[in-house]
Amino acid sequence: MVTIHTDHDELSNEQFVELRTKCLDARNLSYSPYSKFRVGCTLITQSGQYVSGANVENASYGACICAERTTITKALMEGHRQMKVIAISSDDESPISPCGICRQFIREFGLDIPIYMFGASGKYIKVFLKDLLPLSFGPENLGKQPIS
Ligand SMILES: O=c1ccn([C@H]2C[C@H](O)[C@@H](CO)O2)c(=O)[nH]1
Ligand SMILES: [Zn+2]
């Protein structure tokens, strides 16, 4: 069973509120004319910076990119290499969970990354990557450390 957390222990109250606001706002960045399913994402880097993104769809449906991967790629291209937490939101009241490909993408940053999932009204759950992707394949299997 996945352990579901309801704390935000690794963040101050201010950081948590900012994360929630930015993550819900990030839905406005979504380009999702096909599914009309807006997903926002915000991550906090180890240095405390916030990076946001959203899902980007394409007329060739298979080319769609999830919010998590646009955001992580944006952060990497801006020079950030370590993330403290990542958060996602949608227009659903129930928090949504990252898809399999995004779980693997987050895995590159370590097993202990907290993933916040916000419902549209701000209620949330938190899970750890290792619980969403048990027995995962990662950089260590290729003799590498998580991105740093
Ligand atoms: O965690 C998720 C789940 C889905 N989507 C996007 C992909 C697609 O654009 C739309 C519907 O699947 O939602 C994300 O961005 N993140
Ligand atoms: Zn995904």
Side-chain angles (χ1 to χ4, degrees):
M1 273 299 291
V2 178
T3 308
I4 292 177
H5 303 264
T6 52
D7 62 83
H8 54 83
D9 286 349
E10 64 287 305
L11 302 175
S12 67
N13 285 335
E14 292 73 20
Q15 282 178 312
F16 172 76
V17 168
E18 190 158 3
L19 179 71
R20 185 178 60 196
T21 301
K22 286 187 188 304
C23 185
L24 291 168
D25 284 353
R27 294 173 299 176
N28 294 318
L29 301 170
S30 174
Y31 174 71
S32 45
Y34 305 106
S35 72
K36 298 185 168 48
F37 191 82
R38 304 188 314 157
V39 182
C41 179
T42 299
L43 62 81
I44 307 179
T45 67
Q46 274 308 343
S47 58
Q49 289 193 258
Y50 295 78
V51 180
S52 291
N55 54 329
V56 176
E57 298 189 343
N58 192 277
S60 174
Y61 294 174
C64 294
I65 314 174
C66 294
E68 297 91 321
R69 281 175 287 138
T70 65
T71 306
I72 291 169
T73 302
K74 180 180 171 187
L76 288 170
M77 294 305 99
E78 289 177 351
H80 305 293
R81 284 292 181 271
Q82 288 177 296
M83 74 164 96
K84 191 176 167 72
V85 308
I86 186 165
I88 62 171
S89 66
S90 79
D91 295 317
D92 275 4
E93 278 307 318
S94 297
I96 63 155
S97 186
C99 81
I101 302 172
C102 291
R103 292 177 192 199
Q104 184 65 40
F105 221 74
I106 298 165
R107 167 66 180 88
E108 197 71 12
F109 296 83
L111 293 165
D112 295 319
I113 305 290
I115 304 171
Y116 286 82
M117 306 174 194
F118 288 104
S121 300
K123 76 172 181 189
Y124 75 102
I125 56 173
K126 181 179 90 176
V127 301
F128 287 91
L129 185 276
K130 60 175 171 277
D131 291 326
L132 284 187
L133 198 66
L135 284 177
S136 62
F137 183 84
E140 298 85 353
N141 298 108
L142 299 175
K144 306 286 184 200
Q145 294 303 307
I147 293 183
S148 64

